[in-house]
Amino acid sequence: MSGDQVTEAVRGCVTTLRAAVDRDWTSVRAGSVEWDCHVTALHVAECLLAYAGNLVGHARDAYVPFEMRLEDGTGNDGLLHVLETTGALLAAAVNTAAPGDRAFHPYPFRSADREGFAAMGVAEVLLHTHDMAQGLGLEYAPAEGLAESVLTWLFPHVQPGPEAWPTLLWATGRGELAGRPQVDSWRWHNNLVIPADRLTLTGLRPAAARDLRLGGDGGFTWLGGAPYEGTREAAGFMVKAYEAGVHRPDFGVFTLVRTEDGLAVGGIGFHGTPDTEGRVEIGYDLVPEARGQGYATEALSALTEWALSRDDVHTVVATVEADNAPSQRVLARAGFHRADTEQERTAREDRGMDSGLRLYVHGG
């Protein structure tokens, strides 16, 4: 997801609306939203500019305190020019931002990265162009790839449908989708990022997980050139959960990014959501070049602390091979202890834990 998609989305918006440039947009409601088409177009431009401003300004706790105002007497042609300009500003901000840059956005974790700002900008353009086109009686449908990008970057909690554009319209309360209930309220979902001492635990989005599963780099630069096989396997499980509609982003997979140089050194994540007893399982791995430096302990401690701070998690568990002494030491340093005989028996009989594994527990 880059500024190129922002440019493509804005181009499609302007091309569509230009067909009605001689109409009075202030007298036409934009589809199902409460605004007229003029206000809606201005809103899109304001969002594009605000996203660009927050990203380049490295906003931390609130939007950069400025606002946009049209000159008196600006007509529809001028408003389209403003859309093109603010789209270009966001595209440039995204394309020049560093990979690890994050800035303020309120939902849901109070920050977004450059890909998130690009995706939010594209979402604003696509959805509100649909609204305005609907009000003005114009035909509009974006490229399927744009809609799919928005879904895989901002709607990881939404099961993919047969086609991306109708699915995005349904997910935002703008249409129906066979076999699914009507959507009355919605929010998009930027990825979760958890800071540690020398690492950042960066939540994987479905698009990145899919790329990892297929042998790509997931958009990261890896120490040693490629992720460890366990990370690819975990990404594959995440993609399956996303495609089945059961993926929950808070309990997904995270890439371990080293703060000093931005290199990815491993992966960590959950094996699913908490069960009815508040128990959740965690797993991790490192590329060989990063082992023996305390990164696994640091990541495990950070993610376990985050999980146990939630009301729905009471116990974090991990399994490890009986002969894997280094991983057992990692668990011990992160505050885990070996489960007792009864707990291991229950894990084997009720949860299918392999007999060659040992169970470690934190909390509970």
Side-chain angles (χ1 to χ4, degrees):
M1 198 73 185
S2 71
D4 295 344
Q5 283 86 358
V6 176
T7 301
E8 181 183 356
V10 171
R11 184 186 303 117
C13 167
V14 171
T15 298
T16 298
L17 295 181
R18 197 170 295 283
V21 73
D22 58 346
R23 301 266 302 276
D24 179 6
W25 291 2
T26 64
S27 66
V28 180
R29 179 172 170 173
S32 59
V33 301
E34 297 296 324
W35 305 321
D36 63 50
C37 290
H38 178 90
V39 171
T40 303
L42 181 58
H43 166 77
V44 173
E46 289 172 335
C47 288
L48 296 172
L49 182 61
Y51 295 161
N54 273 20
L55 186 55
V56 300
H58 302 289
R60 287 293 171 259
D61 301 313
Y63 280 97
V64 177
F66 69 91
E67 62 181 16
M68 189 180 76
R69 181 182 64 83
L70 293 180
E71 290 187 353
D72 292 342
T74 300
N76 293 339
D77 268 322
L79 185 49
L80 291 180
H81 193 188
V82 170
L83 278 169
E84 291 174 321
T85 302
T86 53
L89 289 171
L90 178 57
V94 168
N95 287 341
T96 57
D101 283 354
R102 296 188 73 86
F104 173 80
H105 186 274
Y107 188 79
F109 302 116
R110 300 186 65 78
S111 75
D113 57 13
R114 61 182 185 179
E115 291 88 354
F117 278 107
M120 290 187 293
V122 172
E124 294 282 359
V125 173
L126 265 55
L127 295 171
H128 286 310
T129 302
H130 163 81
D131 299 332
M132 291 182 283
Q134 191 175 58
L136 292 165
L138 304 173
E139 292 292 328
Y140 174 73
E144 185 74 356
L146 282 178
E148 184 178 10
S149 292
V150 171
L151 285 170
T152 55
W153 286 94
L154 292 181
F155 293 84
H157 51 294
V158 172
Q159 182 180 16
E163 296 178 272
W165 179 230
T167 303
L168 181 58
L169 291 177
W170 168 81
T172 56
R174 289 171 166 83
E176 298 181 354
L177 206 60
R180 302 196 191 184
Q182 183 176 349
V183 173
D184 296 320
S185 62
W186 60 276
R187 286 282 183 88
W188 56 47
H189 202 292
N190 278 297
N191 64 333
L192 173 63
V193 170
I194 300 173
D197 185 20
R198 297 171 297 162
L199 302 170
T200 299
L201 282 61
T202 302
L204 273 184
R205 298 172 171 101
R210 183 179 295 155
D211 185 61
L212 283 170
R213 182 190 65 174
L214 296 174
D217 58 18
F220 299 92
T221 302
W222 291 85
L223 179 66
Y228 194 62
E229 192 57 37
T231 297
R232 295 198 189 280
E233 184 178 355
F237 287 130
M238 178 180 151
V239 171
K240 289 181 180 179
Y242 168 66
E243 292 174 346
V246 297
H247 173 57
R248 296 296 174 264
D250 295 9
F251 292 97
V253 179
F254 299 80
T255 300
L256 308 182
V257 179
R258 197 160 62 182
T259 306
E260 65 176 87
D261 54 15
L263 294 178
V265 299
I268 192 169
F270 299 99
H271 291 188
T273 56
D275 62 19
T276 56
E277 299 174 356
R279 176 185 182 274
V280 67
E281 185 174 352
I282 203 168
Y284 54 90
D285 69 18
L286 293 175
V287 297
E289 295 83 354
R291 295 173 187 171
Q293 302 175 54
Y295 292 134
T297 301
E298 185 178 317
L300 183 59
S301 298
L303 191 56
T304 300
E305 180 181 356
W306 176 86
L308 291 174
S309 70
R310 296 174 58 101
D311 293 337
D312 55 351
V313 176
H314 305 297
T315 307
V316 180
V317 303
T319 59
V320 62
E321 294 85 356
D323 60 353
N324 190 344
S327 190
Q328 292 170 27
R329 289 193 292 270
V330 166
L331 288 162
R333 287 194 295 267
F336 285 72
H337 63 271
R338 175 80 184 276
D340 59 36
T341 302
E342 180 61 23
Q343 287 174 312
E344 286 200 339
R345 183 192 65 79
T346 300
R348 290 191 177 98
E349 293 181 359
D350 297 348
R351 298 187 173 96
M353 188 179 81
D354 188 272
S355 60
L357 296 177
R358 291 180 178 176
L359 181 68
Y360 281 75
V361 180
H362 194 304

